[in-house]
């Protein structure tokens, strides 16, 4: 019989590192017949605010409704602060209920360059800032190699809430969060956009191929108000596992440095 400590270690290893509720649920007990179940509360829209945000007590709305709602409301945020508040009120993404807090962004909103990662991990969820864990430390080094630090860049993720156990975000979760990161890019309005890793480059830049093929190539990203230079490169978490690709990343970073020098002059 494994001890409680051994069981906990096993759960942690399997990625189960957060509790979803205070009390355990026995899923082997039969559920009440449907007529006995309390009726689901209808989706409501908070109207006190100028921008409506969907609210469902205790449960997220169906993904399709949430995607439609996100597409409707995100473009209405007039500033980064408004966008942050909008996300704080948005209950359309179930990840919000398991995350500790919103991880909106870090860095300088006036920056010429913006990095977009995938989703916060455990450290980010605790601190409320993107890229503060191990991969964040490597990102800091990557930026430092081309003379950048967090006072000169803006950093965000496609998904602003940590997926439980650091699992991959589902395609629906990505689609729900995409309008918000697109609006964030539009509001920051950088000259250069760098997407870290395949999920970010596929979702934001609409690139279909894997990161080996897409990395290091400049493409135009249409913010909705203008076209900016965008590039995909390796995610620092991937580089921690595969340091051999740091060489190629260095080439990408040099190219980013040149692009920034170009827009500065
Ligand atoms: N990985 C990401 O993609 N984003 C973070 O903020 C941290 C790790």
């Amino acid at each position: 019989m494994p001890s409680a400590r051994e069981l906990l270690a096993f759960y942690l290893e399997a990625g189960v590192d957060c509790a979803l509720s205070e009390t355990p649920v026995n899923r082997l007990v039969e559920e009440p017949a449907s007529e006995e179940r309390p009726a689901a509360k209808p989706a409501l829209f908070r109207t006190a605010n100028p921008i409506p945000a969907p609210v469902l007590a205790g449960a997220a709305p169906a993904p399709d409704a949430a995607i439609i709602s996100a597409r409707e409301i995100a473009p209405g945020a007039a500033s980064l602060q408004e966008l942050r508040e909008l996300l704080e009120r948005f209950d359309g993404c179930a990840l919000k209920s398991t995350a500790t807090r919103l991880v909106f962004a870090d860095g300088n909103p006036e920056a010429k360059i913006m990095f977009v990662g995938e989703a916060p991990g455990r450290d980010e969820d605790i601190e409320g800032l993107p890229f503060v864990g191990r991969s964040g430390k490597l990102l800091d080094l990557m930026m430092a190699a081309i003379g950048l630090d967090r006072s000169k860049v803006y950093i965000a993720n496609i998904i602003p809430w940590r997926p439980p156990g650091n699992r991959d975000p589902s395609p629906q979760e990505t689609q729900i969060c995409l309008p918000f990161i697109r609006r964030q890019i539009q509001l920051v309005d950088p000259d250069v956009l760098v997407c870290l890793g395949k999920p970010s480059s596929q979702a934001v830049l609409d690139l279909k191929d894997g990161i080996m093929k897409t990395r290091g190539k400049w493409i135009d990203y249409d913010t909705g108000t203008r076209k900016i230079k965008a590039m995909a490169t390796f995610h620092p978490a991937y580089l921690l596992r595969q340091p051999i690709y740091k060489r190629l990343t260095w080439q990408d970073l040099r190219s980013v440095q040149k692009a920034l020098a170009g827009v500065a002059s």
Side-chain angles (χ1 to χ4, degrees):
M1 185 75 171
S3 66
R5 182 183 290 276
E6 284 165 338
L7 264 180
L8 282 175
F10 168 77
Y11 285 142
L12 205 58
E13 183 73 11
V16 184
D17 59 359
C18 63
L20 297 187
S21 88
E22 292 292 319
T23 45
V25 178
N26 186 349
R27 304 207 185 270
L28 299 175
V29 170
E30 260 184 41
E31 290 211 359
S34 57
E35 60 269 21
E36 292 168 34
R37 276 189 218 136
K41 295 204 181 135
L44 299 171
F45 287 84
R46 271 188 230 168
T47 48
N49 266 298
I51 305 161
V55 175
L56 245 183
D64 284 355
I67 294 169
I68 292 169
S69 171
R71 288 181 185 163
E72 259 172 33
I73 63 175
S79 65
L80 289 170
Q81 183 55 29
E82 241 181 73
L83 189 65
R84 180 195 282 265
E85 285 164 14
L86 198 56
L87 274 166
E88 297 278 12
R89 298 200 310 275
F90 182 70
D91 285 345
C93 181
L95 293 176
K96 182 181 184 179
S97 60
T98 52
T100 311
R101 68 191 87 248
L102 176 75
V103 177
F104 185 67
D106 193 18
N108 184 349
E110 310 274 301
K112 286 195 165 59
I113 177 164
M114 176 165 174
F115 290 90
V116 179
E118 186 184 13
R122 187 170 175 275
D123 297 305
E124 291 75 19
D125 182 61
I126 292 168
E127 286 200 35
L129 291 171
F131 285 99
V132 289
R134 274 186 77 218
S135 55
K137 302 278 175 283
L138 181 55
L139 179 61
D140 286 343
L141 290 175
M142 288 160 63
M143 295 189 304
I146 53 169
L148 299 174
D149 60 30
R150 290 186 188 227
S151 69
K152 298 185 190 123
V153 308
Y154 188 86
I155 308 172
N157 285 306
I158 320 169
I159 311 276
W161 296 284
R162 181 202 184 195
N166 292 353
R167 68 159 170 78
D168 290 342
S170 70
Q172 286 91 345
E173 286 157 358
T174 300
Q175 286 308 309
I176 292 167
C177 296
L178 200 52
F180 296 102
I181 187 66
R182 290 211 187 284
R183 182 63 181 148
Q184 206 169 346
I185 297 168
Q186 196 174 51
L187 289 166
V188 175
D189 195 27
D191 293 320
V192 175
L193 176 66
V194 179
C195 286
L196 299 165
K198 178 172 147 185
S200 170
S201 56
Q202 290 195 333
V204 178
L205 303 181
D206 217 12
L207 297 173
K208 303 284 175 256
D209 289 319
I211 197 73
M212 285 306 166
K213 255 195 163 163
T214 57
R215 59 144 281 273
K217 296 179 187 140
W218 288 110
I219 61 162
D220 280 345
Y221 175 84
D222 195 342
T223 67
T225 45
R226 68 176 181 129
K227 289 203 170 119
I228 59 171
K229 295 185 82 164
M231 182 198 277
T233 192
F234 294 106
H235 192 288
Y238 184 73
L239 294 175
L240 287 172
R241 295 193 302 272
Q242 303 283 344
I244 193 165
Y245 293 116
K246 285 184 183 175
R247 254 175 101 103
L248 291 176
T249 312
W250 173 239
Q251 290 175 12
D252 300 348
L253 290 170
R254 291 277 301 152
S255 183
V256 166
Q257 191 177 31
K258 280 191 197 139
L260 281 174
V263 292
S265 58

